Amino acid sequence: MGSISESGEQHPETVTVIIPVYNGERFIRRALDSVFKQTYPLHQVIVIDDGSKDSTREVVASEYGASVMLIRQQNGGPAKARNAGLRVATGEFIAFLDADDWWEPEKLASQIQVLRTRPDAVGNYTGLRMMSDEGVHLEDLKPADPKTLWPTLRWCNPGVPPSSVMLRRSALDMLEGGFDERQLGSEDWNLWFRLIAKGPFCVCPEPLTDYRSSPGGLSGNADHMYNDFMKMLDDVLLADLTGLRRVLWRRRIIAYQAFKACLTARGAGDKKAEREYMKKSVIEWPSPFWAPERFRFFAVTLLRT
């Protein structure tokens, strides 16, 4: 069943918003307020409290009441929390929002409008407004080109965070298991890779997702993110390859992800890890014709050290 806006306009597509949160009392109001300011009417808003130890649950329950379905679970990570939301979601479209991000008011309406014109698409993502930890606008980032999303997803997630994504529920239903609960960092990349095998993504080029850039957290830990990626390398990213192609792609992907870990280590000021990941990247794939930006970066690292 669709929904009707205050103006009386019929909206046949229903949208469920899923928000995982852990110790998010600083941010959850901003996230939820941005959801309820959407110009597209909401069908269902689900907040999954992932074992918070602060007052997140009290804020959501007391200030948003029946307008939000609040689910509480023991701490298990964002993949487990999003899956808990998916199990009770009833919308035709699913929009994800991390608790420390927020949306521009036209975000959902713009995505629905594009998806109406692309019935073949499994989902849609938007451009990003990069925000500081204090909420200061830093820059706008154009979204990845959907024409090159495949095969780029074979070796990396080219800047498609969950908060920017709206998916068709029918596409999710074609997959087994939703987000991979083994992972605590690359679970979104894992899901996008499996979804693109079912159909293409489309894009809203406007920066409609406010994405908080913070130096802390798991995404700033080079070892964690590299080890998390390795959990899906063989049984997801290489699952459709055999023989020599599988061997070569495995080395290429490891080389690129070691390079990304090198970048993360530099950002964290960990020079030892930066050098170790640089070495691993070159050993796995020494040719400068694969991801040549690696060698420009490595040259700067060598000059610095």
Side-chain angles (χ1 to χ4, degrees):
M1 183 177 178
S3 55
I4 301 176
S5 67
E6 293 181 0
S7 65
E9 181 183 359
Q10 177 70 33
H11 296 273
E13 302 90 348
T14 54
V15 178
T16 291
V17 179
I18 294 178
I19 307 175
V21 57
Y22 174 69
N23 290 345
E25 64 178 345
R26 287 178 55 206
F27 309 112
I28 191 64
R29 291 183 183 88
R30 183 172 61 190
L32 280 169
D33 288 347
S34 79
V35 169
F36 290 110
K37 289 178 182 177
Q38 291 299 298
T39 59
Y40 192 89
L42 304 169
H43 170 69
Q44 185 182 35
V45 179
I46 304 170
V47 172
I48 305 91
D49 177 48
D50 190 34
S52 294
K53 298 177 181 178
D54 62 6
S55 62
T56 295
R57 289 190 300 274
E58 290 76 11
V59 169
V60 175
S62 64
E63 298 185 22
Y64 298 91
S67 60
V68 170
M69 178 185 293
L70 177 60
I71 298 173
R72 303 176 184 179
Q73 68 175 31
Q74 290 185 342
N75 182 248
K80 185 175 182 179
R82 294 191 194 104
N83 285 342
L86 285 173
R87 284 192 290 272
V88 298
T90 58
E92 179 186 355
F93 293 89
I94 309 294
F96 300 101
L97 178 61
D98 288 346
D100 55 349
D101 300 329
W102 63 102
W103 292 335
E104 294 300 300
E106 304 82 14
K107 194 260 191 186
L108 296 183
S110 298
Q111 291 186 292
I112 286 289
Q113 184 176 1
V114 173
L115 283 164
R116 282 174 180 161
T117 69
R118 291 291 307 275
D120 61 320
V122 296
N124 176 279
Y125 56 94
T126 75
L128 305 177
R129 297 179 79 231
M130 301 300 292
M131 312 297 290
S132 73
D133 194 46
E134 296 78 23
V136 176
H137 182 201
L138 302 174
E139 61 177 327
D140 291 342
L141 294 184
K142 293 181 179 179
D145 185 346
K147 295 178 181 178
T148 61
L149 198 59
W150 178 258
T152 304
L153 282 169
R154 174 82 73 186
W155 63 86
C156 73
N157 181 354
V160 183
S163 295
S164 72
V165 172
M166 177 186 286
L167 300 177
R168 292 187 191 275
R169 181 58 192 254
S170 58
L172 280 167
D173 288 343
M174 291 188 286
L175 302 179
E176 293 185 6
F179 290 91
D180 190 332
E181 296 182 12
R182 297 174 302 170
Q183 296 187 265
L184 295 170
S186 299
E187 72 283 344
D188 51 342
W189 173 16
N190 181 323
L191 187 65
W192 310 159
F193 181 84
R194 289 183 287 134
L195 274 170
I196 207 167
K198 306 297 182 182
F201 282 77
C202 57
V203 68
C204 288
E206 300 83 6
L208 299 174
T209 300
D210 294 278
Y211 184 76
R212 190 176 72 97
S213 176
S214 175
L218 293 176
S219 62
N221 184 316
D223 289 340
H224 170 83
M225 294 304 295
Y226 182 83
N227 292 332
D228 199 60
F229 135 76
M230 287 295 293
K231 294 176 184 177
M232 68 172 179
L233 175 60
D234 291 312
D235 62 353
V236 177
L237 301 178
L238 299 172
D240 60 331
L241 301 179
T242 58
L244 182 60
R245 287 190 69 218
R246 182 182 177 95
V247 172
L248 294 177
W249 265 112
R250 192 177 198 278
R251 295 189 65 177
R252 287 191 188 108
I253 297 168
I254 289 175
Y256 192 82
Q257 286 302 310
F259 164 59
K260 296 294 287 185
C262 185
L263 290 174
T264 301
R266 175 186 285 189
D270 188 342
K271 293 183 179 180
K272 180 180 178 180
E274 181 182 349
R275 291 192 297 270
E276 289 301 313
Y277 281 114
M278 178 181 69
K279 185 191 304 181
K280 179 184 285 290
S281 181
V282 173
I283 290 173
E284 287 291 340
W285 201 267
S287 171
F289 298 105
W290 167 248
E293 66 271 21
R294 292 184 300 146
F295 288 86
R296 292 193 293 270
F297 176 84
F298 295 158
V300 173
T301 294
L302 291 172
L303 288 172
R304 286 174 60 242
T305 58

